[in-house]
Amino acid sequence: QTTRLRQSICCIGVPTCQIGIQNSQKLLDEIISYFEDQNFKEDILPSLHISGCVNSCSRHQVNQIGFQGKKKRVGDVAVDAYSLYIGGKVREGQTCLAKNYGDLPADRIPAFLYELALELKSRGLEFSEYLLHHEEQLTEILAKYVI
């Protein structure tokens, strides 16, 4: 089944990229597997754009949902993490950069996206409409995941 989530874009990432920090393709595989394990087949999330570092090889800053790979110190440990970017778009006369909503540990991203997908499904909304009218709810969901 083809969904927008399955049509997500990743940079080549680690281990191929010499300047990459995270394995963006592995993250996407884990997200898709998580949704399959939950037997969630609805085409409800937009495609993701995942870059393994600050370079914008996947154009994560100009898409509805983008992730930028990084390492983040949590206590005394360097954690695999991604900065979450939301709300970017490229359209004639309307192009804008996404807003950074904070950092999520890589291993918690699939659960966050699944919870977001359930929220969209329960409200019967596309992501762009949800963001427009329910950003406060989004930040409440994110509070469980950001580091």
Side-chain angles (χ1 to χ4, degrees), residues 33-145:
S33 292
Y34 190 95
F35 276 73
E36 287 174 351
D37 291 347
Q38 305 303 318
N39 201 29
F40 192 93
K41 297 179 180 175
E42 284 81 5
D43 186 19
I44 204 153
L45 287 176
S47 65
L48 309 174
H49 292 252
I50 306 170
S51 293
C53 71
V54 298
N55 290 323
S56 189
C57 296
S58 76
R59 299 178 34 187
H60 61 272
Q61 302 100 328
V62 291
N63 288 285
Q64 287 188 316
I65 300 177
F67 292 96
Q68 172 191 304
K70 64 191 315 182
K71 292 277 190 183
K72 181 161 184 169
R73 184 164 299 283
V74 178
D76 292 334
V77 179
V79 175
D80 291 338
Y82 285 81
S83 293
L84 171 63
Y85 288 84
I86 293 179
K89 64 181 167 183
V90 177
R91 284 198 197 102
E92 187 175 341
Q94 299 177 7
T95 299
C96 66
L97 291 176
K99 176 181 169 186
N100 184 331
Y101 278 76
D103 300 332
L104 287 79
D107 61 358
R108 300 281 290 139
I109 290 172
F112 158 69
L113 289 170
Y114 180 67
E115 185 172 347
L116 177 59
L118 291 176
E119 172 72 9
L120 294 173
K121 183 179 176 183
S122 74
R123 292 184 184 267
L125 295 175
E126 287 289 323
F127 181 73
S128 56
E129 188 177 351
Y130 175 79
L131 184 60
L132 189 61
H133 300 290
H134 302 284
E135 184 177 12
E136 194 174 297
Q137 180 66 34
L138 173 64
T139 57
E140 287 176 22
I141 292 170
L142 264 172
K144 302 177 212 173
Y145 298 94

Side-chain angles (χ1 to χ4, degrees), residues 12-31:
I12 194 69
V14 170
T16 303
C17 180
Q18 296 297 307
I19 58 173
I21 299 168
Q22 294 298 333
N23 188 333
S24 54
Q25 294 187 21
K26 178 181 175 216
L27 175 63
L28 181 58
D29 288 343
E30 289 171 353
I31 292 165

